[in-house]
Amino acid sequence: SEDLPIREFLISPTGEVYIILNYLYSYIDRNGNQQQAILLKVNPNDNTYTNIDNTLSSINQKVGSNKSIQFDTLGNIYYFGSSNSNIVLRKSKGGAHTDLINSNIYVWDWLVLDNGTVFIYGESPSTLTRWFRKINPDNSLINIIGSGVYINFIKKFPDNKIYFGDWGKLFGVG
């Protein structure tokens, strides 16, 4: 058997183990089916792994000031990468994944909170408008700043508030 081309191991807040691979890797699953994967969930009981998203072709190293794979405490994994030549930001749990953005958006930075709230700093390329948005756990969308923002970080601070920097200014959310 061939060794997996492992880039990074991740452990979620709920104790699940994930592996990011260096490249799109072809393998035969335990049912004898050909698979391609770049993000795997490991079953530590029998050392088997499951492909998280069979349409995913790459995972970005880092997006803005935060990692390209993040977790909430509800058992969801969030990841930023490419699928079918489109940029994707997805939430996945139990084999089902949900797109959080459409293919006409650039994401410059993003942050997931423990409760599943997602903050996104992005741009609509058709209008060249940069914005800062919040996606609530129920998938409702709130525009925090609708245009003209240039954020250089989004972080959760020890006071449990979210702060973002807009080129020399510091703002708090929540």
Side-chain angles (χ1 to χ4, degrees):
S1 81
E2 184 179 338
D3 291 336
L4 289 174
I6 296 172
R7 180 171 95 197
E8 186 175 358
F9 284 97
L10 303 166
I11 299 176
S12 76
T14 56
E16 296 168 311
V17 179
Y18 294 87
I19 298 172
I20 305 172
L21 302 176
N22 282 320
Y23 52 84
L24 193 59
Y25 178 74
S26 294
Y27 68 98
I28 305 295
D29 69 14
R30 60 182 160 249
N31 298 321
N33 300 315
Q34 178 76 29
Q35 297 282 334
Q36 285 193 310
I38 197 153
L39 178 60
L40 301 168
K41 181 178 179 182
V42 178
N43 180 342
N45 296 324
D46 61 7
N47 278 342
T48 59
Y49 41 86
T50 305
N51 190 353
I52 294 299
D53 184 342
N54 63 1
T55 69
L56 196 62
S57 56
S58 70
I59 294 277
N60 291 38
Q61 288 274 0
K62 191 173 180 184
V63 181
S65 61
N66 294 293
K67 290 192 170 212
S68 58
I69 294 184
Q70 300 178 42
F71 303 94
D72 63 26
T73 56
L74 307 172
N76 295 299
I77 181 171
Y78 300 76
Y79 47 90
F80 183 78
S82 298
S83 174
N84 300 319
S85 300
N86 292 314
I87 299 297
V88 295
L89 177 57
R90 289 186 173 153
K91 171 171 80 171
S92 180
K93 183 176 183 178
H97 58 265
T98 304
D99 286 320
L100 298 177
I101 62 171
N102 66 40
S103 61
N104 297 320
I105 288 180
Y106 297 145
V107 174
W108 301 118
D109 205 349
W110 64 295
L111 177 68
V112 175
L113 302 184
D114 290 346
N115 70 354
T117 299
V118 181
F119 289 93
I120 303 174
Y121 167 48
E123 180 177 346
S124 301
S126 60
T127 61
L128 299 177
T129 302
R130 291 186 181 213
W131 37 257
F132 186 50
R133 296 177 177 164
K134 175 175 135 177
I135 301 174
N136 290 310
D138 66 1
N139 291 327
S140 60
L141 179 69
I142 296 173
N143 274 323
I144 296 172
I145 300 175
S147 65
V149 65
Y150 292 93
I151 293 175
N152 53 3
F153 74 88
I154 308 169
K155 291 290 182 191
K156 181 178 176 184
F157 276 50
D159 64 2
N160 286 322
K161 292 184 180 177
I162 305 307
Y163 291 88
F164 62 97
D166 182 7
W167 295 105
K169 301 173 197 154
L170 180 65
F171 297 95
V173 180

